Amino acid sequence: MNLTGNWSYPTSIKFGAGRIAELPAACAQAGITRPLLVTDRGLADLPITAQVLDIMEAADLGRAMFSQVDPNPNEKNLDAGVAAYKNGGHDGVIAFGGGSGLDLGKMVAFMAGQSRPVWDYEDVDDWWTRADADAIAPIIAVPTTAGTGSEVGRASVITNSETHVKKIIFHPRVLPTVVICDPELTTGMPQSITAGTGLDAFAHCVEAYSSPFYHPMSQGMALEGMRLVKDYLPRAYADGTDLEARAHMMSAALMGATAFQKGLGAIHAMSHPVGAVFGTHHGTTNAVCMPAVLKLNAPEIHDRFRLAAAYLDISGGFDGFCSFVQDFNDALGIPRKLSNMGVDAARIDDLVAEAVKDPSCGGNPVKLTKANLRALYEATI
């Protein structure tokens, strides 16, 4: 093992029920006086969003909102958001919502001061250095789901609306200045979103734990994140008002996203093209792909997951862990095949062509090729 690494850990996090009330103080901490709230269309008219706008207005922060955000946000959403930001004379962004609202909000703050197309800042080599770092607006992230972990991430996933390819846009200063994790904001999530986002967090932990790179802090965080999902996702799924379960799931989400600095793998390499082409829910897609990926990676991760299974109180070592994953999916209403989510096997060639180029391939313990990715898709669709 190569015992070298470049490590970076999250930002200021205000965690706990009711802490959305501290939004004005968070804005002051970030130096924001005229924020733009960026969220998705589904959240725009909900009571939790009205609550946040009321808090903003009461603190003389206005109540400006941009909500033209698709489930898989694209550059058209981004251009519209940047226009709203500039036209409103804003000086910072409150990114509010699940992965789509958080990712798009972070990119509005990033792109509002840049002069090049967003694709010029893709997470390739050192392309991030092309950006004017001083022109990136401050960001406050407020997650309303427990899965993506984008609130503690330095990147966003944006879909190219013409090519239907998801791109990861990265810059260190895209990391939000302040995060408010208030589990009360997640209690209204429907069961399907609770399951899909929760299993997204689980996938982040599993892939980080599987990654061959050296990052012992992430390794420990991934292991405990898996335990939190195992113990508390069923409770949150069964009773959306279970605030203890919701809180632990929010912790698992930000832990998974922090842990995957160690790397992601085939689950995400497969999921990104599927989501871009077919518009599937990202976390649910990850969950469907996980059993096949565990089987592919077995030769490299068997012993590691034997230890994880013992920590998680799962009998049977690696094989027991794999059985648990499928049973867990089933109990949470996750389909066994991507075809049940509208994915057409006739597009496998297109999916493989994009998956093999996905940056997540680099963190998979077994080298990914067109051949084994095709086998994964055939097994999963």
Side-chain angles (χ1 to χ4, degrees):
M1 179 181 288
N2 180 15
L3 302 183
T4 60
N6 299 313
W7 299 338
S8 177
Y9 263 58
T11 185
S12 172
I13 301 169
K14 301 179 185 299
F15 189 99
R19 298 200 69 177
I20 191 59
E22 299 176 36
L23 182 59
C27 285
Q29 181 179 339
I32 299 173
T33 61
R34 298 182 307 280
L36 176 65
L37 181 76
V38 178
T39 192
D40 63 69
R41 292 183 176 90
L43 280 172
D45 297 324
L46 294 185
I48 57 171
T49 308
Q51 176 190 2
V52 171
L53 291 170
D54 289 344
I55 290 170
M56 291 167 54
E57 187 174 39
D60 293 325
L61 295 169
R63 53 187 305 123
M65 180 175 70
F66 174 80
S67 61
Q68 298 172 38
V69 181
D70 293 325
N72 289 294
N74 57 47
E75 82 285 359
K76 294 180 180 178
N77 301 152
L78 177 56
D79 290 345
V82 169
Y85 181 91
K86 291 181 176 179
N87 292 338
H90 299 289
D91 62 356
V93 168
I94 299 171
F96 182 79
S100 56
L102 295 175
D103 276 7
L104 201 283
K106 287 158 58 178
M107 282 296 99
V108 168
F110 173 66
M111 287 300 296
Q114 306 306 321
S115 58
R116 303 174 67 145
V118 67
W119 313 125
D120 284 0
Y121 308 110
E122 187 182 352
D123 189 15
V124 176
D125 298 327
D126 62 352
W127 286 14
W128 65 271
T129 61
R130 298 169 171 176
D132 180 354
D134 293 333
I136 301 172
I139 304 161
I140 294 171
V142 183
T144 63
T145 65
T148 174
S150 184
E151 64 270 17
V152 292
R154 300 165 296 162
S156 292
V157 178
I158 303 295
T159 300
N160 186 312
S161 64
E162 295 183 2
T163 64
H164 302 289
V165 174
K166 286 190 175 185
K167 298 291 187 180
I168 299 173
I169 312 300
F170 168 84
H171 195 284
R173 291 200 184 180
V174 167
L175 180 70
T177 303
V178 184
V179 178
I180 297 178
C181 284
D182 184 342
E184 290 182 348
L185 300 176
T186 71
T187 57
M189 275 194 294
Q191 278 192 319
S192 62
I193 301 301
T194 296
T197 54
L199 289 169
D200 192 20
F202 192 69
H204 292 160
C205 293
V206 168
E207 293 219 282
Y209 192 75
S210 301
S211 168
F213 301 123
Y214 181 65
H215 201 322
M217 293 178 287
S218 284
Q219 195 76 345
M221 194 169 286
L223 186 59
E224 176 64 3
M226 282 189 273
R227 186 191 70 81
L228 290 175
V229 176
K230 171 182 176 287
D231 289 352
Y232 292 101
L233 180 54
R235 281 177 50 178
Y237 181 78
D239 178 6
T241 65
D242 184 336
L243 206 56
E244 181 184 24
R246 291 294 196 189
H248 283 304
M249 284 305 302
M250 290 197 92
S251 292
L254 63 87
M255 289 167 70
T258 304
F260 74 59
Q261 291 186 39
K262 184 172 176 281
L264 292 171
I267 293 172
H268 280 76
M270 294 176 70
S271 182
H272 286 152
V274 170
V277 174
F278 295 99
T280 58
H281 184 270
H282 175 66
T284 306
T285 308
N286 282 344
V288 177
C289 293
M290 189 180 297
V293 172
L294 287 170
K295 184 176 180 180
L296 171 73
N297 289 333
E300 298 296 328
I301 65 174
H302 186 280
D303 291 343
R304 194 176 312 172
F305 274 86
R306 176 177 54 81
L307 298 175
Y311 180 77
L312 297 170
D313 197 25
I314 296 170
S315 62
F318 175 75
D319 291 338
F321 181 84
C322 292
S323 296
F324 162 78
V325 165
Q326 188 59 71
D327 291 343
F328 203 48
N329 281 357
D330 292 344
L332 295 167
I334 302 299
R336 289 204 170 200
K337 295 291 183 180
L338 292 174
S339 55
N340 298 132
M341 299 171 65
V343 178
D344 186 352
R347 298 294 299 275
I348 284 181
D349 286 345
D350 298 329
L351 297 175
V352 169
E354 294 304 326
V356 77
K357 296 183 293 185
D358 192 277
S360 300
C361 288
N364 201 68
V366 171
K367 181 177 175 58
L368 294 175
T369 64
K370 288 185 177 180
N372 58 20
L373 282 164
R374 173 177 290 280
L376 285 172
Y377 278 123
E378 289 174 345
T380 306
I381 297 176

